[in-house]
Amino acid sequence: MTDAPRLLVADLRAKAPVWRLPESGATRLAAAAPEGWRVHIVNAPTVSDGDGGTAPSAEALDAVARAEAYVGFGISRALFAAASRLRWIHSAAAGVGGLLFPELRDSDVIVTNSAGVHAEPMAEHVLAGVLHLLRGHDLAVEARRRRAWERASFVGEGSPVRELSECRALILGAGGIGSAIARKLSALGARCVGVRRRPELGAPAGFERVVGATDWEALLPESDILVLSAPSTDATRGLVTGSVLDRLPQGAIVVNVARGALLDEAALVERLSRGAIRGAVLDVFADEPLPPESALWNFPSVLITPHVSAVSPRRFWERELSLVIDDWRRYHAGMPMRNVVDRAAGY
């Protein structure tokens, strides 16, 4: 009598088409199963937003009860409670704050995430937004709305137009995403300084140097671009306050592709209102969707996107499945896995 095969459940049929596991991806995942494993592809739609907490489908609940491994967009408490055999969870999201609920945090189930998978599109998003403001494209969009041939804003006194090579960027979070941002910005001449929890690990490519959590605020007066790319943890929530914004130089640009909880949006609005901040590139917000009554909508110099900086329809599944399959092989062989979440650090 043979043992029952070990089961990996893939709950990745997202309602949003760009995040929905394609048939080619399902075939690739099934073909990669190590000896003694099988794959159950959950075909019921799931939600790809966030990193856990959404109500699971009945199909997922049934399948996960027999699973040793689960791959999804985070995992909900209900799914975890139903998964008595679970030993490994992989999240197709980078953030894990929503899935580190007490029952999971206190368990010995391995948790891995997709840190780094989204880095390239997010870095390009940041680069595009920064150049949008440095080249005055927000002024051009506003003039076009009025059908006005408006040159004075570009060539007159106080023109905001700058080259990227004039700028220093302070990047809060020097992991996969922050490092990709630094590589893009530095390739066009910007000088980048990173902030990381363990600066002794050194400066990844693209950074002039990295500093620790106690040293970065001293660099604010010389930082023309402030980028938030750190995970949302107890240490980073509320990190960028009004006093932080006040130490930036006149005409600085603020970028947030991390989580809305890191930035005091009311303080940003106040400084935008009096012209202390040149503009902002915001992809994440404290409340999502961003409410229509938010004052952030009022500023042409604020580039607002609806939490889509990671979108890459053609490349995401290539990178994501390569990571999952490699970690699956490592797990099967008892080898160290990639992207294991540090529960204490929260990412």
Side-chain angles (χ1 to χ4, degrees):
M1 183 175 179
T2 59
D3 293 334
R6 302 162 79 179
L7 179 64
L8 179 142
V9 170
D11 189 10
L12 298 166
R13 299 291 202 194
K15 294 178 180 179
V18 298
W19 301 123
R20 184 182 304 145
L21 178 70
E23 287 304 324
S24 60
T27 300
R28 181 183 173 193
L29 195 58
E35 184 177 356
W37 285 81
R38 72 177 181 90
V39 178
H40 178 104
I41 303 294
V42 176
N43 286 309
T46 189
V47 176
S48 55
D49 296 340
D51 48 29
T54 57
S57 66
E59 182 187 356
L61 278 169
D62 179 67
V64 81
R66 303 180 299 279
E68 182 175 341
Y70 173 83
V71 180
F73 297 97
I75 192 169
S76 66
R77 268 181 142 139
L79 266 179
F80 185 70
S84 60
R85 303 180 186 180
L86 204 59
R87 306 304 305 152
W88 170 40
I89 296 167
H90 175 81
S91 176
V96 294
L99 63 82
L100 290 180
F101 42 83
E103 300 93 321
L104 176 53
R105 190 177 58 242
D106 296 339
S107 76
D108 58 359
V109 175
I110 299 167
V111 180
T112 59
N113 69 356
S114 296
V117 168
H118 304 293
E120 291 303 313
M122 292 180 71
E124 291 185 4
H125 187 97
V126 171
L127 176 61
V130 168
L131 289 174
H132 173 81
L133 293 172
L134 288 180
R135 299 309 305 167
H137 287 182
D138 58 320
L139 305 176
V141 169
E142 179 62 15
R144 184 183 186 281
R145 185 187 63 80
R146 296 183 284 107
R147 296 176 179 262
W149 185 261
E150 176 60 73
R151 298 185 74 242
S153 299
F154 292 86
V155 303
E157 191 80 25
S159 169
V161 175
R162 303 177 69 182
E163 293 184 20
L164 194 53
S165 61
E166 299 176 45
C167 301
R168 182 183 295 277
L170 181 61
I171 301 175
L172 305 184
I177 294 168
S179 297
I181 292 168
R183 290 194 301 272
K184 303 284 187 191
L185 295 179
S186 64
L188 295 181
R191 295 156 295 153
C192 299
V193 176
V195 181
R196 66 189 313 178
R197 186 167 59 100
R198 297 179 60 192
E200 67 273 12
L201 295 177
F207 290 107
E208 285 186 344
R209 59 192 174 104
V210 295
V211 299
T214 60
D215 303 315
W216 64 274
E217 290 195 42
L219 303 177
L220 289 167
E222 58 190 67
S223 300
D224 308 288
I225 303 164
L226 178 65
V227 180
L228 283 66
S229 59
S232 179
T233 67
D234 290 341
T236 61
R237 281 187 283 276
L239 185 65
V240 178
T241 61
S243 62
V244 166
L245 296 174
D246 284 340
R247 298 182 68 183
L248 292 170
Q250 183 77 24
I253 294 169
V254 176
V255 180
N256 191 3
V257 290
R259 288 291 187 268
L262 275 65
L263 174 65
D264 185 336
E265 292 172 1
L268 177 63
V269 165
E270 196 278 327
R271 283 143 186 86
L272 287 163
S273 297
R274 54 183 169 87
I277 298 292
R278 163 68 179 94
V281 179
L282 305 177
D283 185 55
V284 291
F285 304 89
D287 294 321
E288 294 183 5
L290 183 65
E293 62 273 15
S294 171
L296 289 168
W297 292 109
N298 299 335
F299 299 96
S301 62
V302 177
L303 181 61
I304 292 173
T305 52
H307 204 147
V308 293
S309 64
V311 169
S312 180
R314 291 176 175 82
R315 297 300 302 278
F316 169 69
W317 285 112
E318 175 187 326
R319 296 186 180 107
E320 178 65 20
L321 291 177
S322 293
L323 173 62
V324 171
I325 290 167
D326 182 46
D327 255 350
W328 194 5
R329 290 170 178 160
R330 289 167 180 258
Y331 173 83
H332 177 74
M335 296 169 57
M337 298 170 71
R338 298 164 60 191
N339 285 18
V340 175
V341 171
D342 183 335
R343 287 164 158 81
Y347 60 91

